[in-house]
Amino acid sequence: MPTDCISYQHSGYFSALMNDYLDQKPQLSALYNRFPALENFEEQIAEKQNNFNHSSRAKLVDALLQQYNSCETSEATNANIKSLALNNTFTITTGHQLNLFTGPLYFLYKIISTINLTKKLQSKYPEQHFVPVYWMATEDHDFEEINYFNFKGKKFRWNQESTGPVGRLSTEGLNEFLEVYQLELGGSSNATTLKKFFEDAYIKHNNLADATRFLANELFGAYGLVIIDADSASLKRLFIPHVKQELLQQTAFEKVTASIALLKDYTVQVNPREINLFYIENDLRERIILEDGLYKVNHTKLSFSETEILALLESNPEKFSPNVIMRPLYQEVILPNLCYIGGGGEIAYWLELKSYFEASNITFPMLLLRNSVVLASEKQAKKADKLQLSWTDLFKKQADLINQKTIELSEFSIELTDLKTQLQTQFKQLYDIAEKTDESFIGALKAQETKQIKGLQQLEKRLLKAQKRNLSDILDRISDIQNELFPNGSLQERQTNFSEFYLEYGENLIPNLIQKLDPLDTKFDIIVL
């Protein structure tokens, strides 16, 4: 079995910004508060303790208890919810869209990272209490991003229309979806469990938010996970001062734009709008735009004067929804949160927000890149070992890997490096002669040297191609194992649904992952199940 490790920075799957953040490059230090090392949490706890409205804890607990009314709650989750009323309780939070049946595998890794970090903190700081939180992105509206999942190479899509916040979307019609999906599951006991997961979540609940809460609670409730739906009038009421500031002063646009200037050497993840708020109703989610002194709801006839929109904010705060720029602030206002755990793209846009948080007088959380994992069976691990493949090999682009292995497996050298060196040495002698006789020969010599070097390069390509044919059997097996572990040439965690592995490993899957993953270890985990 391959035993080598590969860091995130050397995996080839993270942006330059993420690599530099993980390497703690000094040019990024102004964009985050503290780097997520265990010893740095002591100062983060103290700062959040002094900069959080503890009087809002009771409203947070009430909202959560109400949301869990129709959901059977584990003792661990119930205790965690009630502990949020105490001033020494803090959260570790991850967020995710309401992907159908959890979507790609990294949904699991986000939540497991969150659970495991709270365990580490509880051991390090026993006088405090730490609660893992999953923030459901119920107010998102991009349904096309979440209405499918991949199972055994097939895409299962929920064909439905959605125009408002996805959390409020009816689950009607998913019984027909289940009929198609269960045909692929088969009749094993694990297949029966998966069918029940889906049925109990999506058929027995009326909207996508309740269905997702149920499913996440089924998978992780035993570990004390607390699931929050921030599409709540009582929670939005706590955020009113910041919405008002956004409507009147547009602070986010100014501060985030300035921070983006510090990221000029990187790809910018998101850009702020002048007003970073949506107006929402059950079937409506549209941007709020300020034009000619009026606050207009984009693509509608709705418009408000300043007095009218502020009155609406006070009476119906649930109609105002923060966009990707303001949502993190909303989270940190209502939660006693210390750290946000997300993927590379999420951490990238959080890095744009620190100055906005400072202007809002809200503590900026620590930012932790979630665990990334490749799951392999014993059979696949043995196959890789037999083919003399390291994990570093398997992370390479397939064309590069095949070229490398062709060269390694050939009985003779395909690379004509020695001949090219000899050729360059001979031409150097000719250049010396030309300089001593007639410098007009130099141009002709350069052209001839280029031609002959290109000729050798063409021969190398032909030799490589010929050897690939000769070694096609073993090279095909190398391609096959890489395709199994990196479907569609991408990371498994971005492609495959958890049910594909649950079907094989059942209820042991999640405990196994929780046991083996370290949230503070910045390397790709290769877990052989």
Side-chain angles (χ1 to χ4, degrees):
M1 185 190 323
T3 57
D4 59 314
C5 299
I6 185 165
S7 70
Y8 293 153
Q9 295 96 312
H10 292 98
S11 69
Y13 283 96
F14 288 90
S15 67
L17 176 58
M18 277 304 93
N19 290 338
D20 287 352
Y21 175 66
L22 293 171
D23 289 334
Q24 301 180 57
K25 293 288 180 70
Q27 66 265 29
L28 297 177
S29 60
L31 299 176
Y32 60 92
N33 199 359
R34 296 174 181 88
F35 194 77
L38 199 58
E39 62 274 12
N40 290 343
F41 276 89
E42 184 174 359
E43 290 183 351
Q44 189 74 20
I45 291 168
E47 183 178 347
K48 190 68 177 183
Q49 179 81 48
N50 295 326
N51 186 237
F52 182 70
N53 183 6
H54 295 285
S55 64
S56 66
R57 287 178 178 270
K59 293 179 181 177
L60 173 62
V61 171
D62 286 345
L64 286 167
L65 290 174
Q66 185 177 351
Q67 290 177 14
Y68 271 86
N69 255 339
S70 60
C71 191
E72 187 174 338
T73 311
S74 70
E75 288 184 15
T77 294
N78 195 46
N80 276 343
I81 291 174
K82 291 178 179 178
S83 77
L84 287 167
L86 306 174
N87 288 0
N88 68 335
T89 296
F90 299 92
T91 62
I92 304 298
T93 303
T94 192
H96 197 65
Q97 295 170 297
L98 306 190
N99 293 72
L100 185 63
F101 213 39
T102 76
L105 265 168
Y106 65 78
F107 172 82
L108 267 61
Y109 306 149
K110 279 184 167 183
I111 293 177
I112 290 170
S113 297
T114 306
I115 291 168
N116 282 346
L117 182 56
T118 61
K119 290 181 178 180
K120 279 183 170 287
L121 291 171
Q122 199 65 64
S123 177
K124 177 75 172 175
Y125 305 101
E127 67 281 6
Q128 315 292 344
H129 188 64
F130 304 94
V131 174
V133 172
Y134 161 40
W135 178 290
M136 295 193 297
T138 54
E139 296 177 62
D140 280 4
H141 71 291
D142 197 341
F143 184 62
E144 292 299 314
E145 288 187 0
I146 67 168
N147 68 344
Y148 69 93
F149 61 86
N150 297 316
F151 178 80
K152 293 188 175 181
K154 295 181 180 180
K155 178 174 282 191
F156 290 82
R157 184 182 296 277
W158 176 22
N159 295 313
Q160 175 70 285
E161 294 293 324
S162 175
T163 54
V166 293
R168 303 182 189 182
L169 182 64
S170 170
T171 54
E172 186 178 354
L174 279 172
N175 49 345
E176 289 90 352
F177 180 99
L178 177 57
E179 289 176 7
V180 175
Y181 173 51
Q182 68 184 0
L183 294 176
E184 298 291 333
L185 287 173
S188 68
S189 60
N190 289 338
T192 300
T193 301
L194 287 167
K195 293 173 195 173
K196 184 169 174 52
F197 279 159
F198 194 98
E199 184 176 10
D200 288 350
Y202 296 98
I203 311 304
K204 295 183 180 180
H205 290 86
N206 295 326
N207 61 63
L208 198 53
D210 289 345
T212 304
R213 181 189 298 107
F214 177 88
L215 181 57
N217 185 63
E218 281 291 296
L219 296 174
F220 295 105
Y223 303 96
L225 181 69
V226 173
I227 303 158
I228 188 168
D229 179 359
D231 186 7
S232 156
S234 62
L235 295 178
K236 291 279 181 73
R237 191 159 294 283
L238 300 173
F239 196 52
I240 284 177
H242 301 279
V243 176
K244 184 176 181 180
Q245 182 187 51
E246 179 69 8
L247 290 169
L248 299 181
Q249 299 174 28
Q250 292 89 56
T251 305
F253 181 79
E254 175 193 348
K255 295 299 180 181
V256 176
T257 299
S259 293
I260 286 174
L262 301 177
L263 291 164
K264 62 182 185 301
D265 295 329
Y266 305 97
T267 300
V268 174
Q269 194 69 21
V270 294
N271 288 289
R273 297 188 181 276
E274 290 187 4
I275 293 180
N276 294 278
L277 292 165
F278 288 94
Y279 177 92
I280 60 172
E281 294 179 359
N282 285 344
D283 296 312
L284 177 68
R285 185 178 188 259
E286 288 288 350
R287 289 193 296 119
I288 297 173
I289 302 169
L290 180 59
E291 287 183 352
D292 303 323
L294 289 177
Y295 293 89
K296 300 179 180 179
V297 178
N298 200 32
H299 298 134
T300 75
K301 295 180 179 180
L302 292 171
S303 68
F304 307 90
S305 67
E306 180 180 300
T307 302
E308 289 170 337
I309 202 164
L310 293 180
L312 180 65
L313 175 61
E314 291 292 336
S315 63
N316 296 92
E318 70 278 5
K319 290 185 180 291
F320 295 82
S321 176
N323 74 354
V324 66
I325 293 291
M326 284 192 72
R327 188 210 63 78
L329 186 72
Y330 179 32
Q331 172 188 297
E332 299 301 311
V333 165
I334 66 175
L335 293 177
N337 195 51
L338 301 174
C339 177
Y340 183 77
I341 297 178
E346 291 174 281
I347 302 302
Y349 75 69
W350 274 85
L351 288 171
E352 300 175 21
L353 304 178
K354 182 168 177 279
S355 63
Y356 173 44
F357 271 69
E358 290 170 343
S360 304
N361 194 29
I362 299 297
T363 295
F364 195 61
M366 297 164 84
L367 304 175
L368 177 62
L369 194 63
R370 63 167 173 81
N371 284 119
S372 280
V373 185
V374 174
L375 300 179
S377 66
E378 285 279 0
K379 183 179 179 182
Q380 288 169 327
K382 288 178 181 177
K383 192 183 296 185
D385 201 31
K386 189 175 181 180
L387 292 168
Q388 297 184 328
L389 291 168
S390 67
W391 293 120
T392 302
D393 289 335
L394 288 164
F395 269 83
K396 291 178 178 174
K397 300 299 181 187
Q398 190 161 102
D400 295 336
L401 174 59
I402 295 303
N403 286 345
Q404 171 196 319
K405 288 299 174 181
T406 302
I407 292 168
E408 288 178 7
L409 294 167
S410 293
E411 296 175 355
F412 55 88
S413 177
I414 294 174
E415 294 179 313
L416 304 180
T417 305
D418 290 344
L419 287 176
K420 283 186 274 189
T421 300
Q422 291 175 25
L423 187 65
Q424 288 167 339
T425 300
Q426 291 171 345
F427 271 93
K428 186 178 183 305
Q429 295 172 359
L430 290 171
Y431 285 128
D432 290 341
I433 293 170
E435 286 174 357
K436 293 174 183 176
T437 56
D438 188 345
E439 291 189 0
S440 65
F441 289 157
I442 291 177
L445 282 173
K446 285 183 177 178
Q448 191 61 226
E449 181 184 19
T450 300
K451 180 180 179 180
Q452 293 195 34
I453 291 291
K454 283 185 177 178
L456 289 176
Q457 290 171 342
Q458 288 299 320
L459 285 174
E460 279 182 330
K461 289 179 181 178
R462 292 184 65 178
L463 280 171
L464 184 64
K465 189 174 181 180
Q467 277 300 87
K468 284 180 182 178
R469 287 195 298 269
N470 294 335
L471 298 167
S472 60
D473 180 58
I474 190 170
L475 293 177
D476 285 346
R477 282 186 281 142
I478 289 171
S479 296
D480 288 344
I481 184 65
Q482 191 185 46
N483 291 339
E484 289 175 15
L485 296 170
F486 294 81
N488 298 320
S490 180
L491 288 176
Q492 175 194 81
E493 64 183 32
R494 298 177 187 173
Q495 296 286 319
T496 308
N497 183 256
F498 88 98
S499 61
E500 192 166 322
F501 291 92
Y502 196 99
L503 190 64
E504 180 71 22
Y505 303 103
E507 62 183 13
N508 294 323
L509 176 64
I510 289 175
N512 199 349
L513 293 173
I514 286 178
Q515 180 185 358
K516 292 182 177 179
L517 294 177
D518 180 348
L520 298 176
D521 191 4
T522 58
K523 66 173 176 59
F524 251 97
D525 287 280
I526 317 295
I527 295 181
V528 179
L529 298 168

